[in-house]
Amino acid sequence: MQRHLRHVGKDCLVAFDANPYSVPARKVRPRQLVEIRSTKSQVMLHSTVPDAGGQTSLAVHPRAAGRGARIVDETHWDGLPTGAGRRVTTGDGLSSPRRSQAVEPETGPLQALLNQAAAANVEVGRRPLSVYDELTGTRPFTTSAPTKEAR
């Protein structure tokens, strides 16, 4: 068994072995440290501090067979706020589940939350990287500042 310490993200995901694994929103806070205990077939996530009942277990997932897979239990996102405020994970408090809103079947609850964010509708200008090279007076793939001779 391998043991690792990782921080919980705002989206209630913990990165391990290039794969995000979910933890229950009601039991964690952003940046909370959790312990990962992994075997060849399972990933067990534990809180570093026992709860009121003395338990540390947060979630058990099958271990991903590769990199880039998302291992998520949708029920772990129950109780997440709508995204109107800055907080995303709930910790111990909220009583109203986030899933009161209708979610399209082809999109998950996380995608619905992201779609509600005002930043999702902001159009970003695109320009070639050479514009930044011109502004800073550097050339691509150089690591040192321009010398007096190059000026």
Side-chain angles (χ1 to χ4, degrees), residues 17-80:
D17 216 15
N19 299 302
Y21 293 87
S22 66
V23 290
R26 293 186 179 275
K27 293 185 178 182
V28 296
R29 289 185 169 77
R31 300 290 302 153
Q32 177 179 332
L33 198 61
V34 296
E35 179 183 9
I36 298 171
R37 301 175 189 170
S38 66
T39 65
K40 289 182 180 182
S41 61
Q42 277 189 330
V43 172
M44 297 152 283
L45 299 134
H46 291 266
S47 174
T48 55
V49 179
D51 63 10
Q55 299 295 317
T56 61
S57 179
L58 295 170
V60 177
H61 294 286
R63 187 164 183 171
R67 300 171 74 97
R70 288 175 62 97
I71 313 302
V72 173
D73 180 346
E74 295 281 332
T75 61
H76 286 171
W77 286 329
D78 286 343
L80 280 178

Side-chain angles (χ1 to χ4, degrees), residues 117-127:
N121 299 324
V122 173
E123 190 167 323
V124 178
R126 296 176 182 249
R127 59 184 64 94

Side-chain angles (χ1 to χ4, degrees), residues 2-21:
Q2 296 178 348
R3 296 173 89 150
H4 302 274
L5 292 175
R6 296 287 191 277
H7 290 281
V8 176
K10 288 182 180 181
D11 51 4
C12 299
L13 296 175
V14 177
F16 172 68
D17 216 15
N19 299 302
Y21 293 87

